[in-house]
Amino acid sequence: EAQVTQNPRYLITVTGKKLTVTCSQNMNHEYMSWYRQDPGLGLRQIYYSMNVEVTDKGDVPEGYKVSRKEKRNFPLILESPSPNQTSLYFCASRRTGGTGELFFGEGSRLTVL
Amino acid sequence: AQKVTQAQTEISVVEKEDVTLDCVYETRDTTYYLFWYKQPPSGELVFLIRRNSFDEQNEISGRYSWNFQKSTSSFNFTITASQVVDSAVYFCALVGNAGNMLTFGGGTRLMVKP
Protein backbone atom coordinates (compact mmCIF):
# COMPACT_ATOMS: atom_id res chain seq x y z
CA GLU A 1 0.00 0.00 0.00
CA ALA A 2 1.31 3.42 -1.01
CA GLN A 3 1.83 5.50 2.06
CA VAL A 4 3.72 8.15 3.96
CA THR A 5 4.52 7.09 7.51
CA GLN A 6 5.33 9.47 10.32
CA ASN A 7 6.56 8.68 13.81
CA PRO A 8 5.78 9.43 16.51
CA ARG A 9 2.12 10.28 16.02
CA TYR A 10 1.91 11.95 19.41
CA LEU A 11 4.66 13.37 21.57
CA ILE A 12 4.84 15.52 24.67
CA THR A 13 8.28 16.84 25.43
CA VAL A 14 9.99 19.63 27.33
CA THR A 15 11.74 22.75 26.18
CA GLY A 16 15.25 22.13 24.91
CA LYS A 17 15.11 18.35 24.59
CA LYS A 18 16.14 17.44 21.05
CA LEU A 19 13.68 15.37 19.10
CA THR A 20 13.30 13.90 15.64
CA VAL A 21 10.10 13.17 13.79
CA THR A 22 10.68 10.54 11.16
CA CYS A 23 8.99 10.41 7.78
CA SER A 24 9.21 7.58 5.30
CA GLN A 25 7.48 7.02 1.95
CA ASN A 26 7.31 3.86 -0.15
CA MET A 27 6.34 5.42 -3.49
CA ASN A 28 9.84 6.29 -4.72
CA HIS A 29 8.88 9.96 -4.74
CA GLU A 30 11.59 12.51 -5.32
CA TYR A 31 9.85 15.40 -3.62
CA MET A 32 9.17 15.46 0.12
CA SER A 33 8.16 18.26 2.44
CA TRP A 34 7.18 19.12 5.98
CA TYR A 35 4.28 21.30 7.09
CA ARG A 36 2.99 22.52 10.38
CA GLN A 37 -0.69 23.15 10.97
CA ASP A 38 -1.85 25.79 13.43
CA PRO A 39 -5.41 27.03 14.00
CA GLY A 40 -6.40 29.76 11.59
CA LEU A 41 -3.09 29.59 9.74
CA GLY A 42 -3.68 26.50 7.66
CA LEU A 43 -0.63 24.49 6.78
CA ARG A 44 2.69 26.24 6.42
CA GLN A 45 5.68 24.72 4.74
CA ILE A 46 8.75 24.24 6.92
CA TYR A 47 11.25 22.58 4.57
CA TYR A 48 11.13 20.69 1.33
CA SER A 49 13.42 18.42 -0.63
CA MET A 50 13.42 18.02 -4.39
CA ASN A 51 15.64 14.93 -4.21
CA VAL A 52 18.36 13.19 -2.20
CA GLU A 53 20.80 15.67 -0.65
CA VAL A 54 18.73 18.61 -1.95
CA THR A 55 16.79 20.53 0.69
CA ASP A 56 15.46 24.06 0.92
CA LYS A 57 13.62 26.30 3.33
CA GLY A 58 9.91 26.81 3.21
CA ASP A 59 7.98 29.63 4.83
CA VAL A 60 8.71 28.82 8.49
CA PRO A 61 12.09 27.04 8.78
CA GLU A 62 13.32 28.67 12.01
CA GLY A 63 14.03 26.17 14.74
CA TYR A 64 13.97 23.15 12.43
CA LYS A 65 16.47 21.07 10.52
CA VAL A 66 16.01 18.36 7.93
CA SER A 67 18.15 15.88 6.07
CA ARG A 68 17.63 13.78 2.96
CA LYS A 69 20.26 11.09 2.88
CA GLU A 70 17.96 8.51 1.31
CA LYS A 71 15.11 8.94 -1.10
CA ARG A 72 12.51 7.37 1.13
CA ASN A 73 13.31 9.21 4.39
CA PHE A 74 12.99 12.87 5.34
CA PRO A 75 13.32 13.38 9.10
CA LEU A 76 12.42 16.64 10.81
CA ILE A 77 14.76 17.62 13.63
CA LEU A 78 14.01 20.03 16.43
CA GLU A 79 17.38 20.68 18.04
CA SER A 80 16.03 22.71 20.95
CA PRO A 81 12.24 22.64 20.92
CA SER A 82 10.31 25.59 22.31
CA PRO A 83 6.62 25.93 23.23
CA ASN A 84 5.89 27.86 20.01
CA GLN A 85 6.72 24.69 18.12
CA THR A 86 3.72 22.97 19.65
CA SER A 87 1.77 22.06 16.56
CA LEU A 88 0.46 19.36 14.27
CA TYR A 89 3.10 18.32 11.75
CA PHE A 90 2.56 16.69 8.39
CA CYS A 91 5.04 15.10 6.06
CA ALA A 92 4.16 14.78 2.38
CA SER A 93 5.63 13.44 -0.84
CA ARG A 94 4.98 13.40 -4.57
CA ARG A 95 6.80 12.80 -7.84
CA THR A 96 8.97 15.58 -9.21
CA GLY A 97 8.41 16.64 -12.79
CA GLY A 98 4.81 17.41 -12.10
CA THR A 99 2.64 19.23 -9.68
CA GLY A 100 0.36 16.42 -8.89
CA GLU A 101 -1.25 15.31 -5.72
CA LEU A 102 0.74 15.47 -2.52
CA PHE A 103 0.46 12.33 -0.41
CA PHE A 104 0.34 13.21 3.26
CA GLY A 105 1.26 11.26 6.33
CA GLU A 106 -1.24 10.97 9.15
CA GLY A 107 0.28 13.79 11.14
CA SER A 108 2.35 14.08 14.30
CA ARG A 109 0.96 16.07 17.19
CA LEU A 110 3.79 17.62 19.14
CA THR A 111 3.45 19.40 22.47
CA VAL A 112 6.42 21.24 23.94
CA LEU A 113 6.04 22.17 27.61
CA ALA B 1 5.06 35.49 -3.35
CA GLN B 2 1.88 33.53 -3.57
CA LYS B 3 -1.09 33.66 -1.24
CA VAL B 4 -4.33 31.79 -0.71
CA THR B 5 -7.21 33.30 1.21
CA GLN B 6 -10.21 31.44 2.58
CA ALA B 7 -12.25 34.20 4.11
CA GLN B 8 -14.81 31.91 5.71
CA THR B 9 -13.30 30.43 8.84
CA GLU B 10 -16.42 28.51 9.86
CA ILE B 11 -19.66 27.65 8.13
CA SER B 12 -22.59 25.88 9.71
CA VAL B 13 -25.41 24.41 7.62
CA VAL B 14 -28.23 21.99 8.09
CA GLU B 15 -28.09 18.69 6.29
CA LYS B 16 -29.26 18.80 2.66
CA GLU B 17 -28.41 22.46 2.25
CA ASP B 18 -25.99 23.47 -0.50
CA VAL B 19 -22.84 25.21 0.65
CA THR B 20 -20.04 27.03 -1.17
CA LEU B 21 -16.55 27.41 0.21
CA ASP B 22 -14.65 30.36 -1.18
CA CYS B 23 -11.01 30.43 -2.19
CA VAL B 24 -9.14 33.43 -3.59
CA TYR B 25 -5.52 33.24 -4.62
CA GLU B 26 -2.62 35.44 -5.65
CA THR B 27 0.34 34.41 -7.74
CA ARG B 28 2.68 35.93 -10.29
CA ASP B 29 3.10 32.64 -12.13
CA THR B 30 1.25 32.22 -15.39
CA THR B 31 1.17 28.48 -14.89
CA TYR B 32 -0.01 27.24 -11.55
CA TYR B 33 -2.10 24.53 -9.94
CA LEU B 34 -4.90 24.73 -7.44
CA PHE B 35 -5.99 22.05 -5.01
CA TRP B 36 -8.66 21.32 -2.48
CA TYR B 37 -8.03 19.03 0.48
CA LYS B 38 -10.43 17.79 3.13
CA GLN B 39 -9.42 17.21 6.74
CA PRO B 40 -12.08 15.20 8.59
CA PRO B 41 -12.16 15.09 12.40
CA SER B 42 -9.78 12.12 12.32
CA GLY B 43 -7.09 14.54 11.14
CA GLU B 44 -5.75 13.10 7.89
CA LEU B 45 -5.61 15.19 4.73
CA VAL B 46 -7.65 13.88 1.84
CA PHE B 47 -7.00 15.07 -1.70
CA LEU B 48 -10.14 16.21 -3.51
CA ILE B 49 -9.11 17.90 -6.73
CA ARG B 50 -6.29 19.47 -8.71
CA ARG B 51 -6.85 22.07 -11.40
CA ASN B 52 -4.24 23.70 -13.62
CA SER B 53 -4.39 27.34 -14.60
CA PHE B 54 -5.11 26.60 -18.25
CA ASP B 55 -8.19 24.57 -17.55
CA GLU B 56 -11.07 26.78 -16.53
CA GLN B 57 -13.73 24.18 -17.04
CA ASN B 58 -15.85 23.61 -14.02
CA GLU B 59 -15.75 20.13 -12.60
CA ILE B 60 -18.39 18.03 -10.96
CA SER B 61 -17.83 14.88 -8.97
CA GLY B 62 -20.97 13.56 -7.40
CA ARG B 63 -22.20 16.14 -4.91
CA TYR B 64 -18.97 18.14 -5.24
CA SER B 65 -18.36 20.82 -7.83
CA TRP B 66 -15.62 23.35 -8.39
CA ASN B 67 -15.83 26.72 -10.08
CA PHE B 68 -12.50 28.07 -11.31
CA GLN B 69 -12.56 31.70 -12.47
CA LYS B 70 -9.21 33.06 -13.51
CA SER B 71 -10.61 36.56 -13.99
CA THR B 72 -11.38 36.83 -10.28
CA SER B 73 -8.57 34.52 -9.09
CA SER B 74 -11.06 32.27 -7.40
CA PHE B 75 -11.48 28.53 -7.09
CA ASN B 76 -14.67 27.92 -5.17
CA PHE B 77 -15.97 24.59 -3.96
CA THR B 78 -19.65 23.73 -3.69
CA ILE B 79 -21.18 20.79 -1.88
CA THR B 80 -24.71 20.04 -2.98
CA ALA B 81 -27.16 18.44 -0.56
CA SER B 82 -24.65 18.44 2.27
CA GLN B 83 -24.40 15.50 4.63
CA VAL B 84 -23.13 15.16 8.18
CA VAL B 85 -20.12 13.25 6.84
CA ASP B 86 -19.09 16.37 4.97
CA SER B 87 -18.23 18.01 8.30
CA ALA B 88 -14.53 18.75 8.10
CA VAL B 89 -11.97 21.45 7.57
CA TYR B 90 -11.42 22.19 3.90
CA PHE B 91 -8.21 23.66 2.57
CA CYS B 92 -7.55 25.36 -0.72
CA ALA B 93 -3.93 25.35 -1.90
CA LEU B 94 -1.78 26.69 -4.71
CA VAL B 95 1.52 25.62 -6.23
CA GLY B 96 3.37 27.64 -8.83
CA ASN B 97 5.14 26.44 -11.90
CA ALA B 98 8.34 25.58 -10.05
CA GLY B 99 6.37 23.05 -8.08
CA ASN B 100 8.33 23.41 -4.87
CA MET B 101 6.11 25.48 -2.60
CA LEU B 102 2.54 24.49 -1.91
CA THR B 103 0.76 27.37 -0.19
CA PHE B 104 -2.39 26.64 1.79
CA GLY B 105 -5.23 28.88 2.78
CA GLY B 106 -6.22 29.08 6.43
CA GLY B 107 -8.98 26.53 5.97
CA THR B 108 -12.76 26.62 6.35
CA ARG B 109 -14.40 24.53 9.02
CA LEU B 110 -17.69 23.17 7.75
CA MET B 111 -20.21 21.86 10.23
CA VAL B 112 -23.21 20.04 8.83
CA LYS B 113 -25.93 19.52 11.40
CA PRO B 114 -28.55 16.79 11.12
Side-chain angles (χ1 to χ4, degrees), chain A residues 15-92:
Chain A
T15 299
K17 186 176 181 182
K18 180 180 178 179
L19 68 93
T20 298
V21 186
T22 63
C23 174
S24 180
Q25 49 93 5
N26 63 0
M27 295 167 279
N28 202 35
H29 286 166
E30 295 87 2
Y31 178 94
M32 296 184 75
S33 62
W34 275 102
Y35 295 83
R36 60 177 288 173
Q37 182 180 359
D38 302 290
L41 298 176
L43 283 82
R44 294 178 293 167
Q45 193 166 30
I46 303 170
Y47 270 94
Y48 64 93
S49 169
M50 299 295 278
N51 214 325
V52 176
E53 301 291 2
V54 180
T55 63
D56 211 342
K57 296 177 181 178
D59 292 322
V60 288
E62 296 79 19
Y64 305 95
K65 285 175 57 177
V66 293
S67 69
R68 188 87 183 276
K69 294 185 171 58
E70 307 165 279
K71 200 172 189 179
R72 64 182 293 124
N73 296 324
F74 190 44
L76 179 70
I77 303 157
L78 286 72
E79 293 270 3
S80 183
S82 62
N84 64 13
Q85 293 179 297
T86 292
S87 187
L88 177 59
Y89 291 87
F90 286 97
C91 180

